[in-house]
Amino acid sequence: MLKRCLPAIALFLLAPAVGELLLGNLAFSQLPLFLPVLAPMYGGGALLIREVTRRAGRGPVTMLILGVAYGLVEEGLADQMLFNHFYAGHDEMGATYIPALGMGGWLTIGVLTMHAVWSTNAGIALVEALFPERAETPWLGRTGLGVTAAIFTLGTAVVMWGSYNDEHFFARPGQLIATVVAIVALVAVAFRVRPRALLDGAAPRPWVVGVVAFAAASLFLNTADLPGWWSVAAATALLVVTVTVTSRWCRRRGWGRGHRLGLAAGAILTYAWVGFGMTPETAAKTTGDYVVNVVLALGSVALIALAARRLHGFRPPLAADEEKAEVRF
């Protein structure tokens, strides 16, 4: 039973580890919050996205869109950071604040991208590479899926309660309604994605994909330091270019699981180095925080290396190694 559920358990723990700990958002003193608070929402959310996608016979494009929806659940409904001008005592919106929406330009683009990529899909891709023989099949039965949904709902409610307790902030009804509508629309779009025609030419090597992903992710996270709306323009341009290039690569001959691992590895290693310079939201950085950074960075490298080795040694059944264009993204 434990062996059967091992991939699901791994993702449940890895998602919050990447989404919060690797980036350095959580202070060393707050580590006790990892399992009771972060794992139910992050881990439950990532696992739910992965399971409903695979059960529907869909692939990574669907997961990516659902990752954006997850970002809206967490940042728009749970902790409501998208609408809180001075979240955790900091002016997170700065010069790109849009008064009519009560939202920040870069903040909205930044946090939704971070959740879609790092909080959900990077962990999913890494765990699927660690268990290649089960990468495209469900890891949970119906009961397990129901329990996961319940855990995610409970985790979201706990974060909402805790955030309100700390911030004493609640978004306007119109903002919350618009967020729910956007979430529903994204979920509907996610399951209407269809495969696109293959393109001529061969896909680049997985390590090239990983290097490009690392460079793009590093540049994206640093666009926040640009002045005013230049940050929004740069972040948007990077997203458009990265999505366009990747969507063309994944429709070329030879694209497969190793390339998807390359994308995840580039993103995860970006968080690993950025985390060393990140100051936790609620406290000054301490020696303990740097120790956590080192341990998690080394652990990330080890997991990526292990996943690459397992993929290299994996031989899929005949006719199962060529994924559909939508799945291959």
Side-chain angles (χ1 to χ4, degrees):
M1 180 66 177
L2 180 61
K3 184 177 180 180
R4 182 172 176 269
C5 295
L6 193 56
I9 295 171
L11 180 57
F12 185 79
L13 297 175
L14 186 64
V18 172
E20 286 287 340
L21 299 186
L22 186 62
L23 181 59
N25 264 348
L26 199 69
F28 177 73
S29 59
Q30 295 177 298
L31 285 182
L33 299 177
F34 179 80
L35 276 178
V37 177
L38 294 181
M41 184 173 64
Y42 278 84
L47 186 54
L48 199 58
I49 287 171
R50 194 268 169 195
E51 288 299 291
V52 296
T53 299
R54 290 305 186 191
R55 281 176 169 274
R58 304 288 179 166
V61 173
T62 293
M63 294 183 198
L64 190 64
I65 298 172
L66 291 179
V68 179
Y70 168 86
L72 285 174
V73 171
E74 178 174 337
E75 307 293 2
L77 301 180
D79 66 23
Q80 300 182 14
M81 181 183 180
L82 289 179
F83 310 116
N84 189 347
H85 201 142
F86 297 97
Y87 184 82
H90 307 291
D91 182 1
E92 299 286 356
M93 301 187 187
T96 63
Y97 177 62
I98 307 171
L101 300 177
M103 301 169 68
W106 192 94
L107 180 69
T108 301
I109 295 172
V111 298
L112 293 184
T113 301
M114 290 164 79
H115 284 306
V117 175
W118 283 276
S119 299
T120 54
N121 281 277
I124 293 171
L126 179 55
V127 177
E128 288 192 340
L130 286 168
F131 299 90
E133 68 282 356
R134 299 181 61 191
E136 296 171 36
T137 60
W139 296 336
L140 301 172
R142 291 184 179 179
T143 301
L145 187 63
V147 170
T148 300
I151 289 175
F152 173 63
T153 303
L154 177 61
T156 301
V158 168
V159 170
M160 181 183 290
W161 174 82
S163 180
Y164 182 77
N165 229 27
D166 292 339
E167 301 289 328
H168 302 292
F169 171 87
F170 210 77
R172 299 194 301 266
Q175 292 172 320
L176 297 176
I177 292 171
T179 300
V180 172
V181 170
I183 292 168
V184 172
L186 284 168
V187 172
V189 169
F191 289 100
R192 291 184 65 84
V193 173
R194 292 290 183 267
R196 300 179 66 185
L198 296 179
L199 299 175
D200 294 331
R205 293 182 180 274
W207 71 265
V208 174
V209 174
V211 170
V212 171
F214 178 81
S218 298
L219 287 172
F220 178 81
L221 293 181
N222 281 281
T223 58
D225 297 327
L226 295 175
W229 285 92
W230 286 107
S231 62
V232 175
T236 303
L238 268 170
L239 283 176
V240 170
V241 170
T242 302
V243 170
T244 300
V245 170
T246 306
S247 65
R248 292 186 66 83
W249 279 350
C250 73
R251 292 161 59 199
R252 290 183 176 177
R253 184 180 66 256
W255 181 274
R257 298 173 181 179
H259 296 84
R260 189 169 173 233
L261 175 60
L263 290 173
I268 290 171
L269 293 179
T270 297
Y271 257 22
W273 81 260
V274 169
F276 282 92
M278 181 71 69
T279 300
E281 289 181 349
T282 58
K285 194 141 186 166
T286 66
T287 302
D289 294 309
Y290 285 109
V291 171
V292 172
N293 289 148
V294 171
V295 170
L296 290 176
L298 293 176
S300 298
V301 172
L303 283 177
I304 290 168
L306 177 60
R309 182 178 178 181
R310 288 182 62 83
L311 275 182
H312 181 72
F314 176 66
R315 294 293 178 267
L318 186 64
D321 56 335
E322 289 292 328
E323 295 176 310
K324 294 178 182 178
E326 194 273 329
V327 174
R328 291 150 62 99
F329 181 75

